[in-house]
Amino acid sequence: MIKLSISGAQGRMGQAVLHLAAQDADVTIVEAIDRKKEVLDSGREIVTTHDGDADVLIDFTTPEAFRLRLAECVKHKTAFLSGTTGLSSKDFAALDKAAKTIPVMHAGNYSLGVTLLCELVAHACRVVGHYDIEIVEMHHNRKVDAPSGTANMLLKSACDALGWDPAKAAVHGRQGHTGPRGQKEIGIHALRGGDVFGDHSVIFAGQGERIELTHKAANRDTFAAGAIKAAKFLFSRKPGRYTVRDVLLEG
């Protein structure tokens, strides 16, 4: 049985992972981490640091907490899986460094459907990459960062297929007299409202036709289930940087 630690256990994603993990015979929760140490009505104890007992730590927190948990996982040789968004280039460099000693995985979205969408976007770019490409995402009104990690995943998939630099291609919204659309740009538009779990569309607009590839999540369970599946994949792997695509290809 795989021992899991959940960081961000009091958050929406953490709660979803805890709920699904409790129904999975292949895993057991040995640690629940959040900002405040307490004992819940259910009897589960919330701690504030990782003690090294788990096989895999699943992190859905903030960039600040992400950095603390990653350092603790390196110290205790615990596999590290994160879905935290809003990370900096230094954070990704820290992941690469950690991957030399422990297995790590980071994704803006652990839904296998979104992973498939990224593959479809890459394929579409190889066929109709000369079309104008726009990415539109919508989330609930409590999401604190934009664009979403998933939108950035889709941007990277498109740019990798086209041989473009995501930092140069991305145009975050448009306002005022912007002039004609550039040939090597991908617009990214973030919508916020209501209780939307996550809608993502990639639009390929050509002359006389438009192709739209869309994924819509009905609840957080699809993300939580994907994270647990990815944790099972990461368990007992050699040190290295892994992706959700690796999980998808393994089946």
Side-chain angles (χ1 to χ4, degrees), residues 91-233:
D91 292 324
F92 288 113
L95 273 175
D96 288 334
K97 183 178 180 180
K100 296 178 181 179
T101 57
I102 60 172
V104 302
M105 184 183 298
H106 178 273
N109 193 310
Y110 281 92
S111 159
L112 294 185
V114 166
T115 306
L116 177 59
L117 177 62
C118 289
E119 293 292 303
L120 294 173
V121 167
H123 181 68
C125 285
R126 289 188 286 268
V127 178
V128 292
H130 57 289
Y131 283 14
D132 295 330
I133 305 171
E134 300 282 310
I135 298 172
V136 181
E137 58 100 338
M138 183 170 185
H139 284 83
H140 53 86
N141 55 23
R142 296 180 65 187
K143 186 168 177 60
V144 298
D145 61 309
S148 67
T150 304
N152 285 327
M153 287 172 62
L154 294 167
L155 171 67
K156 186 177 187 303
S157 293
C159 288
D160 285 351
L162 294 167
W164 296 357
D165 180 351
K168 294 180 180 179
V171 176
H172 297 279
R174 297 182 179 88
Q175 183 179 10
H177 185 72
T178 61
R181 188 187 194 281
Q183 289 186 335
K184 287 189 175 183
E185 69 178 49
I186 297 177
I188 303 180
H189 312 277
L191 312 181
R192 297 290 178 266
D195 60 355
V196 179
F197 289 104
D199 293 353
H200 294 85
S201 293
V202 182
I203 303 165
F204 295 83
Q207 297 300 313
E209 66 178 359
R210 185 171 69 251
I211 303 165
E212 297 186 15
L213 301 176
T214 298
H215 178 275
K216 295 185 178 183
N219 55 55
R220 290 186 181 86
D221 284 355
T222 183
F223 310 133
I228 293 172
K229 182 178 178 68
K232 293 178 183 179
F233 170 90

Side-chain angles (χ1 to χ4, degrees), residues 1-2 4 6 14-29 44 58 224-225 228 232:
M1 184 173 289
I2 302 171
L4 299 181
I6 310 301
Q15 288 291 309
V17 173
L18 285 171
H19 174 71
L20 289 187
Q23 305 171 47
D24 193 319
D26 295 329
V27 302
T28 183
I29 303 297
R44 182 177 299 281
I58 298 178
I228 293 172
K232 293 178 183 179

